[in-house]
Amino acid sequence: MIKKKMLMETIGKKWGAYGFQFEEYDYYRWTFSRRVDEVDQKISIQEGIYGYPELRFEVELFRGSEREDVGDEKIKELSGLKEFGMFLPYKGEEELRELLNKWGDLIGEKVIDRLADIPVKWHEWPGKESGRKLYEKREELAERFYKRHGIDEEAAEEILLGKMKEEWDEIIGKPLVKVEDRMVELAAVYGKLWIRMFKGEWIYMERDTYRGALITKSTCHNIYPLKKITAYWHAEWDDILEDYAKEKQRYEEYIKTKRRKRK
């Protein structure tokens, strides 16, 4: 597990030379940022979400309310770092420090000063009002979806995901103003399914770059349901069925590992 003192002694010092400052820690995710020409550049270190001794790096760009998830492939192409975005394992504190030093240097030398070269297609995101609406009216929103499809919240996950996929396919690529309400509704349904399968609870998170409903204390990991649905709408991520299947597979692998350790 990363400790802030070690992080600041390694990556903090290295990226500080480029103007990056530590911004926040949020559930095993450490974020550094700087502002260049009205664009907030953020680099995050995500620890293993199931307690695995591993970490990965991610890059995001923000311009006001607009956001760009810089995919791993773009960074690999930009930097030549083939392992960027992959979970990198380590054993013990010494290996962790070596990993942070190594990747702190690599990202500093091959990524940071070239972030401005990344071709960006800025995306709209739902406003903070939608994030608040999801948190306050999630039960009402989900019930509307269930009634429309003649099902209830206890329907099999395959049925729920299939119905969500039908609606997702209808809204993808359409103007935000025409589909934002549907996106919030889908986020409510996805969030309730997530809690049913992986436990957790809803909270409201407010920060500079995101305001909205977050599911935390899950046996899986924190998720922002509306953020996931918006990424699907942008066609940035796998479709909802593939994404959920990957999450479930990783969770099941974690459960198997945990059981083996008990024997």
Side-chain angles (χ1 to χ4, degrees):
M1 178 181 292
I2 296 175
K3 294 181 180 179
K4 186 175 180 180
K5 184 174 183 294
M6 181 190 294
L7 189 66
M8 299 308 295
E9 290 173 349
T10 54
I11 279 177
K13 286 184 177 179
K14 295 176 186 297
W15 293 356
Y18 299 91
F20 274 82
Q21 300 294 319
F22 176 71
E23 179 178 296
E24 66 177 355
Y25 169 78
D26 177 27
Y27 196 79
Y28 300 109
R29 184 180 178 89
W30 306 82
T31 300
F32 290 79
S33 67
R34 72 175 182 182
R35 174 164 287 192
V36 178
D37 296 331
E38 299 185 352
V39 174
D40 292 310
Q41 301 174 346
K42 298 179 184 288
I43 306 177
S44 298
I45 303 100
Q46 173 70 60
E47 296 187 72
I49 54 180
Y50 302 104
Y52 295 151
E54 60 185 8
L55 57 86
R56 70 186 295 267
F57 295 88
E58 301 174 8
V59 173
E60 295 174 298
L61 303 177
F62 294 85
R63 187 180 65 183
S65 62
E66 297 175 304
R67 177 172 174 269
E68 169 75 358
D69 269 321
V70 182
D72 298 337
E73 293 305 316
K74 286 185 181 179
I75 298 297
K76 289 176 183 178
E77 183 179 344
L78 181 78
S79 65
L81 298 173
K82 295 181 180 180
E83 291 182 304
F84 187 91
M86 297 172 59
F87 272 105
L88 308 168
Y90 61 86
K91 294 180 180 179
E93 188 172 310
E94 185 176 342
E95 281 194 16
L96 172 58
R97 183 178 291 272
E98 291 175 358
L99 192 62
L100 292 172
N101 275 319
K102 174 185 174 181
W103 278 86
D105 285 334
L106 287 172
I107 290 174
E109 295 166 4
K110 297 179 178 292
V111 177
I112 287 177
D113 278 345
R114 303 185 66 186
L115 289 175
D117 298 332
I118 296 174
V120 174
K121 181 180 179 181
W122 293 108
H123 290 130
E124 289 183 284
W125 282 73
K128 62 181 180 180
E129 297 81 7
S130 289
R132 174 62 72 178
K133 179 180 178 181
L134 171 60
Y135 179 70
E136 294 179 347
K137 298 185 177 181
R138 56 188 183 273
E139 296 295 334
E140 176 186 332
L141 292 165
E143 188 61 32
R144 186 187 307 163
F145 176 92
Y146 302 144
K147 286 183 178 179
R148 187 162 62 248
H149 291 282
I151 58 177
D152 60 39
E153 63 181 301
E154 297 303 320
E157 60 182 322
E158 294 83 3
I159 293 175
L160 279 169
L161 289 167
K163 296 298 183 183
M164 289 184 69
K165 176 88 166 47
E166 290 176 11
E167 297 209 10
W168 145 244
D169 288 341
E170 291 176 4
I171 68 172
I172 185 170
K174 292 184 178 178
L176 180 63
V177 67
K178 293 184 177 181
V179 298
E180 189 166 354
D181 286 344
R182 290 274 293 281
M183 290 165 64
V184 176
E185 191 177 285
L186 287 167
V189 177
Y190 191 88
K192 285 177 65 65
L193 174 61
W194 185 274
I195 290 175
R196 186 177 114 192
M197 302 305 297
F198 306 121
K199 304 187 185 304
E201 63 184 47
W202 293 87
I203 64 171
Y204 185 79
M205 175 72 72
E206 186 164 345
R207 58 178 64 169
D208 290 341
T209 54
Y210 182 83
R211 293 175 177 83
L214 162 71
I215 294 177
T216 187
K217 295 184 180 179
S218 170
T219 52
C220 203
H221 59 86
N222 283 8
I223 67 160
Y224 297 86
L226 187 53
K227 183 177 176 181
K228 269 188 174 290
I229 296 301
T230 305
Y232 299 141
W233 173 65
H234 289 154
E236 292 175 340
W237 292 357
D238 299 322
D239 74 41
I240 194 168
L241 301 180
E242 292 179 15
D243 181 63
Y244 185 86
K246 289 178 181 178
E247 296 281 11
K248 188 174 181 180
Q249 181 182 10
R250 190 165 172 79
Y251 171 70
E252 289 173 347
E253 289 172 354
Y254 161 69
I255 294 297
K256 290 178 183 177
T257 301
K258 194 172 182 179
R259 286 173 179 167
R260 283 197 297 268
K261 287 181 178 179
R262 288 177 178 172
K263 292 180 180 180

